[in-house]
Amino acid sequence: MMNDGSAIHRSSLIVHRYSMTTRILFVCLGNICRSPLAEGVFNHLAAQAGRAHEFEVDSCGTGGWHAGELPDPRTQEVAQQHGITLNRRARPFERSDFNDFDLIIAMDRDNVSDLLSFSSLKPDHRAKLKLLREYDPHADGSLDVPDPWYGGMDGFERVYQMIERSAKKLLESIPSPLSQRERGRG
Ligand code: 4NP
């Protein structure tokens, strides 16, 4: 069995993994509001489920204006209110991310368009690209996580709730390597 992370095949929301970790990249515009929150929430949920060791999680922005900055203070505040500390600094998306990650999870359709415009994507790269709210059980039409940058704390809390609901389902959609091996034996 190949063990270089390339032997990964995806079908819809089902992930068939032969490597021990799934590498997930959350993407928004500035990487100071939505995607660092999604990164922190996913890590928190994975840790609560005893599955932190199964994942490598990162986030980035399609724009680089905030590179090197900590998350927006409102992002940090809403995360803190839910018991999550965010301390990673913003970075811009790089083309190599499409090779380095198994799942690229965008916050809105503009992010998806920007990501698609960065390169002529190979089909396996396109298959890695999802909207976070594809996993939201309460999604009601729009699959965007709206940009909370110009609003107040209520918008950040709404965004937090969307991210948490979606991240829970995303986590559940990725089988743990152990349960896959057990199924293989059965
Ligand atoms: P984010 O929010 O994409 O969720 O990080 C934004 C942060 C900053 C800007 C836009 C959106 N900005 O224009 O600087």
Side-chain angles (χ1 to χ4, degrees):
M1 182 188 299
M2 291 170 67
N3 193 25
D4 62 358
S6 62
I8 293 165
H9 308 279
R10 298 185 190 294
S11 164
S12 182
L13 302 184
I14 300 169
V15 180
H16 302 286
R17 291 187 302 149
Y18 300 108
S19 65
M20 292 304 286
T21 58
T22 298
R23 298 158 298 181
I24 303 176
L25 180 66
F26 293 100
V27 184
C28 64
L29 177 60
N31 194 210
I32 56 169
C33 297
R34 294 165 292 174
S35 63
L37 192 54
E39 177 188 350
V41 168
F42 188 89
N43 277 331
H44 186 71
L45 293 171
Q48 279 184 332
R51 300 185 59 192
H53 60 287
E54 295 178 26
F55 300 98
E56 292 171 41
V57 185
D58 196 3
S59 65
C60 69
T62 54
W65 317 283
H66 296 282
E69 293 178 18
L70 287 168
D72 183 280
R74 295 165 296 177
T75 313
Q76 294 191 51
E77 185 178 335
V78 78
Q80 207 69 59
Q81 285 166 358
H82 293 276
I84 299 170
T85 301
L86 304 178
N87 48 26
R88 222 189 39 71
R89 292 181 182 270
R91 74 160 176 94
F93 176 81
E94 295 170 15
R95 279 172 181 226
S96 57
D97 287 328
F98 268 112
N99 292 321
D100 294 343
F101 289 89
D102 303 311
L103 279 173
I104 312 271
I105 308 284
M107 296 300 121
D108 67 29
R109 287 162 296 177
D110 288 342
N111 305 148
V112 171
S113 307
D114 288 342
L115 289 167
L116 291 174
S117 75
F118 287 145
S119 64
S120 53
L121 292 175
K122 299 175 193 166
D124 63 321
H125 286 181
R126 182 66 187 85
K128 294 178 178 184
L129 183 52
K130 312 271 185 204
L131 281 165
L132 180 64
R133 292 194 74 204
E134 289 179 39
Y135 300 89
D136 184 351
H138 295 178
D140 52 357
S142 171
L143 293 181
D144 290 342
V145 178
D147 185 349
W149 169 255
Y150 293 104
M153 279 308 295
D154 54 337
F156 279 78
E157 176 59 28
R158 261 198 310 280
V159 159
Y160 177 90
Q161 295 297 336
M162 284 177 191
I163 288 174
E164 189 191 56
R165 289 196 304 267
S166 307
K168 271 185 186 157
K169 289 290 177 192
L170 170 60
L171 178 64
E172 287 170 18
S173 78
I174 303 172
S176 73
L178 183 60
S179 62
Q180 284 214 325
R181 279 205 300 276
E182 281 170 347
R183 268 203 298 280
R185 269 189 226 117

